[in-house]
Amino acid sequence: MSESKNNTVLVTGGAGYIGAHACKALQQVGYVPVTFDNLSTGHAEAVKFGPLFKGDLTDRSSIDAAFQEHRPHAVLHFAALSQVGESVTDPGRYWRENVGGALNLIEATVAAGVMNFVFSSTCATYGDQDGVVLTEDTDQRPMNAYGGSKLAIEQMLADFVPKGLEAVIFRYFNVAGADPDADVGEDHDPETHLIPLVIDAIAGRRGPLTIFGTDYDTPDGTCIRDYVHVSDLADAHVKGLEWLTAGKGSRTFCLGTGTGFSVREVIDAAKAVTNAEVPHSEGARRAGDAARLVCGSERAKTELGWTPTRSDMVTMLRDAHRWHEKGSF
Ligand code: UFG
């Protein structure tokens, strides 16, 4: 990137799991990622690759102040509440903070004359469509306020296209792994995701893993998911940004690998990678879990030129394990 270009990008949620990995990827190719984060779930120590602007998306004036101070040429919007279960018990919070926050951000972005926007959406917008390989054209029928809030933001972005905004929307599948150098990694509280819980169970940092349901209509009875390495996802964001700055316009991409792993397969792989037993028991199904969520990511590969290079299960587990053994940012 030439020195004369504006290489500053605003990264909301840059102190969070995926946002921090994206900041590293952006910095590595010459951008200055400015993290905008309220640090409610993110970590100040994870902001290592550019400045931190502490602000809240529900406060429009703090977003305007960030634009004023840093003058970014693009926005990558990761910040969101992202727990499916919590969104069922407290849907209002998801609509207020995710959708209300995104509206403030989009309006501030357009008001600042910034027209390139990359948005983190989710396969939770599809709901439960067992057996279908999900693509960008699959109907979206969210089953909870988390998925509903993300779908609403997708629709909101489309309404701002006539105002000149261009958006790349990424629908993530199951994000896993950690930065290969363990500079940043996954640190949720509470932790609900399978892979960090498996790793913690091995290390004895918490109790045995419970497999949520063994009677699904899948080959081994446990749920199947499409896991993608967080650093591959970060690379996709750099490509999404380049897509927009090249003037290619608004587009939606699913990001997964097309390969599903069952819960038992993840446990077996973790045992092989760490050479240790995974203490676990078999329990009841978790409400809201689909049996199988797998993504077709042909569009991201052919149009964006995105090639996941680390999203095999062994690499994801190895990188996650290295990060959790390190234990801090
Ligand atoms: N699982 C267990 N035991 C656990 C935790 C998880 O068996 O202790 C199982 C789940 O039932 C599921 C699989 O492991 O079958 C993966 O569960 P995760 O919680 O890691 O991930 P989810 O598939 O539930 O959630 C992911 C993202 C969400 C997104 C959702 C969309 O983390 O942000 O996909 O379906 F909304």
Side-chain angles (χ1 to χ4, degrees):
M1 183 179 305
S2 83
E3 286 298 315
S4 58
K5 270 194 181 166
N6 176 354
N7 55 2
T8 301
V9 292
L10 191 71
V11 182
T12 75
Y17 174 41
I18 305 169
H21 288 80
C23 286
K24 178 167 180 175
L26 288 162
Q27 190 213 36
Q28 282 181 326
V29 294
Y31 291 98
V32 177
V34 176
T35 290
F36 182 96
D37 205 299
N38 65 6
L39 302 179
S40 64
T41 56
H43 307 275
E45 317 85 83
V47 184
K48 299 179 169 182
F49 311 104
L52 169 64
F53 188 103
K54 195 163 179 281
D56 196 304
L57 293 174
T58 59
D59 170 17
R60 167 74 190 263
S61 65
S62 70
I63 310 172
D64 289 337
F67 275 106
Q68 194 70 29
E69 185 175 332
H70 291 285
R71 310 232 168 245
H73 80 283
V75 173
L76 287 84
H77 179 35
F78 295 91
L81 299 171
S82 63
Q83 287 177 42
V84 171
E86 180 190 54
S87 84
V88 175
T89 53
D90 193 358
R93 207 176 155 213
Y94 278 69
W95 284 93
R96 197 163 40 250
E97 295 190 28
N98 285 359
V99 180
L103 178 58
N104 282 336
L105 177 65
I106 292 167
E107 288 196 312
T109 302
V110 172
V114 177
M115 294 307 172
N116 294 329
F117 198 97
V118 180
F119 173 55
S120 303
S121 190
T122 168
C123 64
T125 59
Y126 292 111
D128 188 354
Q129 304 194 35
D130 283 352
V132 177
V133 173
L134 303 164
T135 73
E136 294 81 2
D137 299 322
T138 307
D139 281 350
Q140 290 166 288
R141 298 182 229 132
M143 294 163 58
N144 48 60
Y146 170 60
S149 70
K150 290 285 187 171
L151 177 57
I153 299 164
E154 290 194 13
Q155 292 165 338
M156 194 193 293
L157 285 167
D159 288 342
F160 279 83
V161 170
K163 305 280 286 179
L165 190 75
E166 299 290 356
V168 160
I169 294 170
F170 287 125
R171 294 188 194 134
Y172 307 156
F173 282 65
N174 285 62
V175 188
D179 172 48
D181 306 320
D183 284 338
V184 283
E186 189 166 13
D187 188 359
H188 293 123
D189 185 18
E191 185 53 81
T192 60
H193 295 104
L194 178 63
I195 289 179
L197 292 177
V198 164
I199 287 169
D200 278 356
I202 290 172
R205 277 187 290 268
R206 49 181 118 214
L209 179 85
T210 303
I211 299 179
F212 294 145
T214 53
D215 58 349
Y216 284 96
D217 185 16
T218 58
D220 68 17
T222 65
C223 291
I224 294 174
R225 293 288 180 274
D226 185 340
Y227 295 87
V228 57
H229 195 296
V230 63
S231 296
D232 282 336
L233 214 61
D235 290 345
H237 286 75
V238 174
K239 290 192 178 291
L241 186 55
E242 286 166 356
W243 170 281
L244 287 171
T245 47
K248 294 184 179 173
S250 296
R251 196 77 169 135
T252 298
F253 299 96
C254 287
L255 296 179
T257 66
T259 305
F261 286 86
S262 73
V263 176
R264 286 196 208 279
E265 285 173 329
V266 171
I267 291 173
D268 289 345
K271 185 176 165 185
V273 165
T274 60
N275 210 11
E277 291 299 325
V278 182
H280 67 274
S281 62
E282 297 183 358
R285 292 183 177 198
R286 183 174 66 177
D289 269 344
R292 183 173 182 275
L293 287 172
V294 178
C295 148
S297 55
E298 277 318 299
R299 183 185 287 180
K301 287 178 188 142
T302 55
E303 294 187 18
L304 212 52
W306 178 63
T307 313
T309 57
R310 311 172 188 90
S311 295
D312 60 284
M313 187 49 71
V314 168
T315 303
M316 287 187 285
L317 285 165
R318 225 176 244 151
D319 289 349
H321 187 243
R322 186 181 306 115
W323 160 253
H324 285 280
E325 288 308 301
K326 182 183 167 205
S328 63
F329 290 98

